[in-house]
Amino acid sequence: MSAPSPRSRVRRLHEKAAYDRAVIDAILDACPVAHVGHVVDGFPVVIPTLQWREGDRIYWHGSSASRMQKNAAAAQVCVTVTLTDGMVLARSGLEHSVNYRSVMVFGQAEVVDGVAAKTAHLRAMMEQMFPGRWDQLRPMTAQELKATRILSLPLTEASAKISAGPPQDPPEDRSHPIWAGVLPIRLTVGKPEPAPDLAPGIAVPPHASRFRIG
């Protein structure tokens, strides 16, 4: 288990913390959606984006013209990934909670430079989510790559926090006559919907029909 940094150490409900890289990696790999928090012009801003992990780093991308993307490369950021697993209904309002798995990564984002490097990381993102799709795509143009900025963070300052299980009512509340328990939440992927202009005869590929989150 890695020793947490002052920033990544979980201080509230520290018994729910996990610093083991296998736990952190599993959560990052299970959810492609992340929120990146940073300060822009003196104000806090949090933006949603897609993230992917390659070894000891996470990556995300956006428009090269985005002021948030430009700012993230020059200041400290926090990237958060969260999976919601259930709503916990207890016998008192105070004890209601949520079952979840989350990861926070801290540091100064680094920009990926160069056409070859950008292409390699975008391919890695696509192949992780939709194996086999990259080679079927129309190749990216030089202008598309120029318009895309890729940022990354090392996983040297990261921590996970996990909440699971039934409500933790105190003994004196357990006889109160109200239902208590967990409402499980699962992200499900529906049936693929073809583009309205899709040419006839093109079947749904396995990487689309088998896609799952969580």
Side-chain angles (χ1 to χ4, degrees):
M1 180 176 290
S2 302
S5 70
R7 287 192 297 188
S8 64
R9 181 184 298 278
V10 176
R11 302 180 187 281
R12 185 176 179 276
L13 300 176
H14 57 84
E15 69 277 5
K16 298 180 183 294
Y19 305 102
D20 187 85
R21 270 294 307 278
V23 175
I24 291 169
D25 290 355
I27 295 172
L28 292 173
D29 294 348
C31 184
V33 180
H35 288 80
V36 183
H38 41 90
V39 177
V40 178
D41 299 331
F43 296 95
V45 178
V46 178
I47 58 170
T49 187
L50 290 179
Q51 65 82 25
W52 67 100
R53 183 182 65 86
E54 296 180 48
D56 295 331
R57 303 185 76 88
I58 58 167
Y59 295 80
W60 66 99
H61 75 289
S63 169
S64 295
S66 166
R67 66 172 182 159
M68 270 76 86
Q69 288 287 101
K70 292 177 181 177
N71 182 79
Q76 295 291 314
V77 300
C78 175
V79 179
T80 303
V81 170
T82 303
L83 286 157
T84 303
D85 294 324
M87 304 299 294
V88 182
L89 280 63
R91 295 169 179 87
S92 71
L94 181 65
E95 296 296 337
H96 279 62
S97 62
V98 179
N99 283 342
Y100 62 88
R101 291 164 285 158
S102 68
V103 166
M104 298 178 73
V105 187
F106 302 88
Q108 182 165 327
E110 300 174 19
V111 178
V112 174
D113 287 319
V115 171
K118 281 185 175 183
T119 302
H121 289 302
L122 290 172
R123 179 190 179 103
M125 175 191 68
M126 187 68 65
E127 288 300 301
Q128 284 183 25
M129 289 192 291
F130 309 111
R133 188 169 183 82
W134 181 264
D135 290 335
Q136 300 175 14
L137 297 173
R138 184 266 293 160
M140 294 188 71
T141 66
Q143 182 57 39
E144 287 173 335
L145 286 169
K146 182 179 179 181
T148 302
R149 173 175 275 131
I150 300 175
L151 300 170
S152 79
L153 271 181
L155 293 172
T156 50
E157 279 192 275
S159 60
K161 196 172 181 182
I162 301 171
S163 181
Q168 300 297 309
D169 287 304
E172 62 269 21
D173 285 352
R174 293 172 189 169
S175 60
H176 189 74
I178 187 174
W179 188 89
V182 177
L183 305 179
I185 295 174
R186 300 288 183 267
L187 284 172
T188 60
V189 179
K191 182 180 179 180
E193 300 176 357
D197 56 357
L198 186 69
I202 298 181
V204 177
H207 60 247
S209 61
R210 297 174 184 171
F211 181 73
R212 299 291 184 271
I213 293 178

